[in-house]
């Protein structure tokens, strides 16, 4: 079986109130995206790495790779309007039957162990998404405008990696984009597939706000 | 109308892998619980502050108040087995009709503005809980063991303060403890009351893991 990792960098950086997209921000002196690529390159499954970047960012990325002497082999693919279209673009380049991990570029703290356990489990049970249980109380807004408590133990906060068989993922991504497609699992679920959850990592955070980067720095520094 | 703030410190500190309970850890040189009390003492509603601590911690708290020359008036109440029982104990000391805010001791970053807007809204509409929308994809475990995606925009991650009319809160807390009572809203909801949600704050985090304290330090330092 062949293994792929599609690393999706959607962000234009608007939410960070910075000019530089989040995936290029420096985390302990290295761009976030390079941390993410490094994590996948260490996996014992040796996935082929595809990174999806807005085409306006390709030259800047080439420049960064030179500046940081970044040698890990990877293919750069052009992003689409939504994350959905970015994954679609990357998938269209995969022709072999394979297990495909999709991962957010801005989750640089994913561990080699989590990546390995996700690939291993997906190989056995067909698909997996990493997730952690909710620590906080959770409420769900109902169609009537009221809200109700959910049982916290039943609520999973979904992370990436999310790993699927290439055939299933390609089939799912033939659909038109819907606003409810917030991750790959929701796309795959909508063609009738059940999703398997594996235990993710608390530290596997998404760099969304400036403070997240500071938080990531603390973790990388082993606080 | 009179206003109360019940600040509940349940933790024995086990999850922090430290000997010192989380509410006593130093955040920028001051115990977490003192930050929390300070936030409420600044409110324009001047709530009477009740803090609930395990009785084994009362002497240590008195000592801390001396050491830090902590002058903000507050009453110390003994905690119970579960958070539920701690709130019950505090409630039993409230005899006047009032608006009662319940707040986690380990959410020291709550802003004066959020506290004020919660009291203001609760006075108008009866009760409120602070909450933020989920940023991540969310899945719900079903009774059949499968899971399904929820619409992220419909999912609220609940924080404190949670503010209720004293009569309603007292009525709700007459019930026996149930494992699904993870916060005050769930207790009040179970006697048939609808819960109102107000916009909380991303930074209003719960200090649960060691790294949360580092994160809080960054926020307090204005990163």
């Amino acid at each position: 079986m062949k293994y792929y990792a599609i690393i999706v960098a959607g962000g234009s950086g608007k939410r960070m109130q910075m000019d530089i997209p989040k995936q290029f921000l420096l985390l302990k002196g290295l761009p976030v995206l390079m941390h993410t690529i490094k994590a996948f390159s260490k996996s014992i499954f040796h996935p082929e790495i595809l990174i999806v970047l807005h085409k306006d960012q390709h030259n800047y990325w080439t420049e960064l790779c030179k500046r940081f002497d970044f040698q890990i082999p990877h293919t750069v693919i052009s992003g689409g309007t939504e994350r959905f279209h970015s994954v679609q673009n990357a998938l269209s380049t995969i022709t072999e039957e394979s297990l495909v991990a999709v991962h957010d570029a801005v989750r640089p703290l994913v561990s080699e162990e989590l990546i390995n356990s996700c690939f291993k489990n997906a190989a056995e049970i067909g698909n997996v998404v990493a997730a952690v249980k909710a620590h906080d109380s959770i409420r769900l807004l109902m169609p009537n405008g009221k809200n109700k408590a959910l049982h916290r133990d039943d609520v999973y906060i979904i992370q990436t990696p999310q790993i699927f068989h290439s055939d299933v993922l390609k089939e799912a991504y033939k659909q038109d984009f819907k606003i409810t497609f917030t991750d790959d699992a929701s796309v795959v679920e909508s063609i009738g597939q059940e999703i398997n959850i594996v235990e993710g990592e608390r530290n596997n955070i998404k760099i969304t706000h400036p403070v997240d980067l500071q938080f990531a720095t603390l973790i990388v520094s082993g606080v």
Side-chain angles (χ1 to χ4, degrees), chain A residues 38-174:
Chain A
K38 268 174 87 171
F40 278 88
S41 75
K42 285 184 197 155
S43 164
I44 50 170
F45 290 91
H46 305 293
E48 190 170 324
I49 296 171
L50 312 178
I51 73 166
V52 194
L53 283 178
H54 191 281
K55 66 174 172 14
D56 293 350
Q57 298 172 354
H58 288 200
N59 287 342
Y60 183 62
W61 176 247
T62 308
E63 206 181 286
L64 280 179
C65 287
K66 271 185 212 143
R67 195 190 314 161
F68 289 90
D69 193 25
F70 190 71
Q71 302 283 0
I72 299 173
H74 62 273
T75 305
V76 182
I77 289 162
S78 289
T81 326
E82 299 284 343
R83 186 186 189 282
F84 177 88
H85 305 108
S86 294
V87 175
Q88 237 176 8
N89 290 355
L91 269 179
S92 71
T93 71
I94 296 178
T95 51
E96 285 167 280
E97 201 185 317
S98 50
L99 275 181
V100 181
V102 187
H103 187 74
D104 299 323
V106 291
R107 291 194 192 263
L109 301 182
V110 59
S111 76
E112 188 188 331
E113 291 72 28
L114 180 58
I115 294 169
N116 288 339
S117 92
C118 285
F119 272 124
K120 188 173 162 292
N121 280 285
E124 285 166 12
I125 55 178
N127 71 53
V128 293
V129 306
V132 291
K133 285 272 180 86
H135 265 175
D136 298 297
S137 297
I138 303 285
R139 292 193 158 262
L140 184 66
L141 187 65
M142 315 284 284
N144 63 5
K146 296 173 185 175
N147 63 76
K148 64 160 189 185
L150 295 178
H151 294 187
R152 167 163 76 181
D153 283 347
D154 297 341
V155 177
Y156 288 97
I157 297 172
I158 304 300
Q159 308 182 331
T160 64
Q162 304 194 350
I163 304 189
F164 306 89
H165 195 282
S166 55
D167 292 351
V168 173
L169 202 55
K170 278 165 168 281
E171 182 63 30
Y173 270 92
K174 278 182 190 158

